[in-house]
Amino acid sequence: MKATQKPPALAPVTPADLLRMAALYLRRHGWHQGTYYNSTTDSLTPPACAAGAIGIACAGHRVEHFAQLDPDALADYLAALGAFVDYLDAFYPLFLVDEDGFVIDEHTSPYSWNDDPARTAGQVITALDAAADEWDRLHIQGGEN
């Protein structure tokens, strides 16, 4: 490339990319329940819950309050978290029913799903990767990666 040419544009980061980065983060640094990050460590890369790992994938660092993200990173976080919720709704549905038997919430919370005492790190990592694959299947032309 000549010095006067523009460098090629970078491909945009998709929710699937961020979900895979979150899964990789959990593989490398550990999984956590109850809060976004394990607060018993001073590490810059503490064990994280699924939502905390997605936040790190979006921001590149630990984020205590996602409202602190810049608008682009926040939009990426919400899109990736939304793709994860869509996957959980399809494959791990949880319906909250009121005392009269009416469904009051039909979306699976990624927070309560992550924090289920029976949940394992392997299940969370697998779900993040599968949610990424599902996003790609639904959004990439011709189903090609």
Side-chain angles (χ1 to χ4, degrees), residues 1-74:
M1 177 171 17
K2 295 182 181 180
T4 57
Q5 290 178 307
K6 288 185 177 180
L10 296 175
V13 175
T14 68
D17 296 329
L18 295 169
L19 292 168
R20 287 188 185 96
M21 286 184 242
L24 179 60
Y25 181 89
L26 295 179
R27 279 186 200 94
R28 290 184 175 173
H29 303 290
W31 172 65
H32 181 67
Q33 289 181 300
T35 57
Y36 288 128
Y37 311 106
N38 182 340
S39 60
T40 61
T41 178
D42 285 338
S43 172
L44 293 174
T45 55
C49 73
I54 293 169
I56 287 176
C58 294
H61 56 82
R62 181 178 176 157
V63 179
E64 296 299 332
H65 302 284
F66 292 100
Q68 296 172 337
L69 291 170
D70 69 66
D72 290 335
L74 181 59

Side-chain angles (χ1 to χ4, degrees), residues 113-124:
W113 183 84
N114 180 90
D115 294 345
D116 183 323
R119 190 74 51 229
T120 67
Q123 290 171 330
V124 174

Side-chain angles (χ1 to χ4, degrees), residues 2 6 8 13 20 40 47 55 59 86 96 99 103-104 108 114 122 132-133 139-140:
K2 295 182 181 180
K6 288 185 177 180
V13 175
R20 287 188 185 96
T40 61
D86 289 346
L96 300 178
E99 61 274 357
V103 174
I104 55 174
T108 305
N114 180 90
D133 292 344
H139 294 88
I140 294 181

